[in-house]
């Protein structure tokens, strides 16, 4: 899920809308003389989203039985500071982080999730989780940078990272008893009010809460203690908006799902306000947030409420994903996975193959088998992403001959109004 949308995604959106991206968040293509790191995914300037897009690529590959290359993993791990924190991107990772280094909770949290999911560099993931715990705000949440006011998106993605490293999130209490969950719940618009069930990114100057679709999708995952690469939860009854001052985190999450489902019932896709300077003043389709909402609905047990949105993404979002690069392609893969769609034939596009070509050649790939018992991963590279590799077939024979069994288990963003 894209939590507090990366700068590169914003820049891509601006290009697609024919608008000028804000200077502060633009992610331009590198100049011909610029040389990108060999292990990095994507070809655009990584200044604002290098760690983010690399981590999202790993998460999406993992759920599709793709093992990223050692070179790619080493690049991500090399971005980490000695404190355990990550920045958005370190051009010279050999230079130690110091007081001038801008630490990034979102980059750290997504990198931690990626390293846990690919089951590599676990010590680095644990160090990242320890750093995240050390910069928790007094209200129980996290801001984009250490010390900045808590926001729904940052708090949610940090919860996902801590949960994936085995940290009991509900036990992370501050002096006044606040937890990450209570920090998120304080941003929920009460049921019965306008936009009831939705979440605000942050309170307004007067403490008012304004519904934010991105924050709502993120908060649903966060309050359920789930990471970005969440699959489908068991179906529950249709989402409803529960009133009350003493709701559980899951009840508040379900309220968020109610708001998302109700919004998508009116239109299969979410919309975003025009970028500053855009000629077209009409709200435009928001592909990324729509994919995020799909993941949130599926993770909260409402896959059926996301079916129309998945169909819309298959028909309309593949061009956006290709132009948007690794992070955008990964978002569609995550949405496909969460709802049981085929990421290798998503609107006629093999998203997995597309993502694999955006970075170093994977160490191994496998194609899920269409059997009722579920996918069986192989070792070895499958260049065309179709069929089982010879190595896998040989492996099956060896298993049958020796009687040895094994199990490979694997699990599978900027504020906007």
């Amino acid at each position: 899920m894209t939590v507090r949308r990366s700068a590169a995604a914003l820049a891509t959106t601006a290009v697609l809308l024919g608008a000028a991206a804000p200077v502060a968040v633009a992610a331009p293509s590198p100049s011909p003389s610029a040389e990108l790191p060999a292990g990095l995914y994507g070809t655009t300037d990584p200044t604002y989203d290098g760690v983010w897009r690399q981590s999202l690529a790993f998460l999406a590959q993992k759920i599709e039985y793709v093992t990223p290359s050692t070179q790619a993993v080493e690049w991500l791990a090399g971005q980490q500071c000695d404190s355990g924190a990550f920045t958005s991107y370190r051009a010279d990772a050999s230079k130690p982080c110091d007081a001038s280094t801008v630490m990034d909770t979102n980059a750290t949290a997504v990198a931690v999730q990626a390293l846990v999911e690919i089951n590599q560099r676990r010590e680095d993931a644990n160090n990242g989780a320890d750093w995240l715990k050390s910069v928790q705000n007094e209200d129980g949440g996290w801001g984009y940078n250490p010390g900045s006011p808590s926001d729904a998106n940052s708090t949610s993605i940090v919860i996902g990272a801590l949960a994936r490293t085995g940290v009991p999130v509900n036990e992370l209490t501050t002096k006044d008893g606040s937890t990450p969950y209570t920090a998120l719940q304080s941003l929920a618009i009460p049921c019965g009010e306008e936009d009831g069930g939705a979440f605000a990114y942050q309170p307004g100057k007067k403490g008012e809460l304004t519904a934010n679709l991105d924050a709502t999708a993120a908060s649903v995952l966060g309050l359920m203690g789930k990471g970005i690469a969440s699959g489908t939860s068991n179906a529950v009854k249709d989402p409803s908006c529960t009133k009350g001052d003493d709701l559980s985190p899951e009840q508040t999450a379900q309220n968020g799902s109610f708001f998302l489902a109700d919004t998508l019932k009116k239109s299969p896709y979410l919309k975003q306000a025009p970028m500053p300077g855009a000629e077209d003043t009409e709200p435009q389709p928001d592909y990324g947030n729509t994919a995020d909402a799909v993941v949130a609905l599926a993770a909260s047990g409402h896959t059926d409420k996301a079916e129309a949105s998945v169909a819309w993404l298959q028909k309309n979002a593949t061009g956006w994903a290709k132009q948007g690069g690794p992070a955008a392609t990964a978002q569609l893969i995550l949405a496909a996975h969460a709802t049981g769609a085929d990421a290798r034939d998503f609107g006629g596009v093999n998203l997995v193959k597309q993502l694999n070509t955006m970075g170093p050649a994977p160490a191994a790939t496998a194609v899920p088998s269409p059997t009722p018992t579920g996918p069986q991963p192989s070792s070895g590279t499958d260049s065309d992403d179709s069929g089982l590799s010879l190595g896998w077939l040989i492996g099956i024979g060896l298993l049958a001959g020796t009687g040895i069994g094994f199990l490979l288990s694997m699990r599978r963003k900027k504020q906007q109004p």
Side-chain angles (χ1 to χ4, degrees):
M1 174 184 118
T2 302
V3 183
R4 193 170 187 186
R5 202 70 60 78
S6 70
L10 286 174
T12 299
T13 300
V15 170
L16 294 177
L17 298 181
V23 174
V25 297
S29 298
S31 63
S33 60
E35 184 175 346
L36 295 177
L40 178 66
Y41 280 70
T43 58
T44 57
D45 185 344
T47 300
Y48 304 105
D49 79 325
V51 168
W52 181 270
R53 73 197 196 201
Q54 190 88 349
S55 300
L56 243 63
F58 287 2
L59 289 168
Q61 287 179 318
K62 179 63 175 180
I63 62 175
E64 288 294 333
Y65 298 87
V66 177
T67 302
S69 72
T70 299
Q71 183 184 46
V73 175
E74 291 300 313
W75 180 86
L76 179 60
Q79 289 287 298
Q80 190 173 33
C81 299
D82 290 341
S83 64
F86 284 77
T87 68
S88 298
Y89 173 70
R90 295 169 63 198
D92 184 1
S94 65
K95 181 180 178 181
C97 301
D98 56 26
S100 66
T101 305
V102 181
M103 306 303 182
D104 183 334
T105 62
N106 287 226
T108 302
V110 73
V112 166
Q113 291 190 43
L115 293 175
V116 170
E117 296 298 345
I118 64 174
N119 197 28
Q120 297 188 47
R121 307 296 292 253
R122 184 54 189 264
E123 184 176 349
D124 295 332
N126 291 341
N127 289 341
D130 288 341
W131 179 80
L132 288 169
K133 290 189 292 182
S134 75
V135 295
Q136 183 182 18
N137 289 335
E138 283 302 313
D139 64 0
W142 286 265
Y144 192 79
N145 303 113
S148 61
S150 298
D151 66 75
N153 301 63
S154 298
T155 300
S156 297
I157 192 173
V158 171
I159 288 175
L162 296 178
R164 291 301 297 127
T165 54
V167 175
V169 178
N170 62 324
E171 296 179 9
L172 290 178
T173 56
T174 60
K175 293 179 181 179
D176 65 357
S178 297
T179 71
Y181 294 133
T182 57
L184 276 183
Q185 289 180 294
S186 71
L187 296 172
I189 298 175
C191 297
E193 297 185 9
E194 184 179 0
D195 295 329
F199 287 77
Y201 174 75
Q202 287 176 328
K205 293 181 178 180
K206 297 181 180 180
E208 71 276 13
L209 299 178
T210 302
N212 182 295
L213 293 167
D214 195 16
T216 302
S219 296
V220 169
L221 286 184
L223 285 169
M224 296 188 69
K226 294 190 175 185
I228 293 176
S230 296
T232 302
S233 291
N234 292 332
V236 298
K237 63 181 181 180
D238 286 352
S240 60
C241 210
T242 304
K243 298 180 180 180
D245 297 324
D246 191 27
L247 301 180
S248 69
E250 184 172 356
Q251 285 177 311
T252 314
Q254 290 295 336
N255 289 350
S257 294
F258 167 83
F259 178 79
L260 291 174
D262 188 59
T263 303
L264 290 173
K265 183 169 59 177
K266 303 166 187 173
S267 167
Y269 61 89
L270 301 181
K271 302 175 183 179
Q272 62 181 0
M275 294 290 290
E279 294 181 3
D280 190 345
T281 58
E282 291 297 316
Q284 299 295 314
D286 191 326
Y287 305 101
N289 263 356
T290 301
D292 293 348
V294 165
V295 172
L297 286 171
S300 56
H302 306 293
T303 303
D304 59 321
K305 306 302 180 185
E307 290 176 351
S309 297
V310 174
W312 182 87
L313 288 170
Q314 289 178 309
K315 184 177 180 180
N316 298 279
T318 54
W320 164 80
K322 185 174 184 179
Q323 184 172 351
T329 300
Q331 279 184 270
L332 290 193
I333 292 175
L334 293 170
H337 172 78
T339 54
D342 188 354
R344 287 175 166 80
D345 186 12
F346 194 83
V349 176
N350 187 329
L351 295 174
V352 179
K353 185 175 183 180
Q354 178 171 292
L355 180 59
N356 291 346
T357 62
M358 293 178 174
T365 66
V367 176
S369 168
T371 62
T373 56
Q376 301 296 321
S378 73
S379 59
T381 301
D382 180 358
S383 59
D384 64 358
D385 292 323
S386 61
L388 293 175
S389 68
L390 177 61
W392 176 241
L393 295 175
I394 294 175
I396 293 175
L398 290 174
L399 284 174
T402 60
I404 299 175
F406 69 91
L407 173 65
L408 296 177
S409 62
M410 51 189 73
R411 287 176 48 115
R412 322 150 317 301
K413 138 195 144 344
K414 175 89 183 178
Q415 172 188 10
Q416 71 177 56

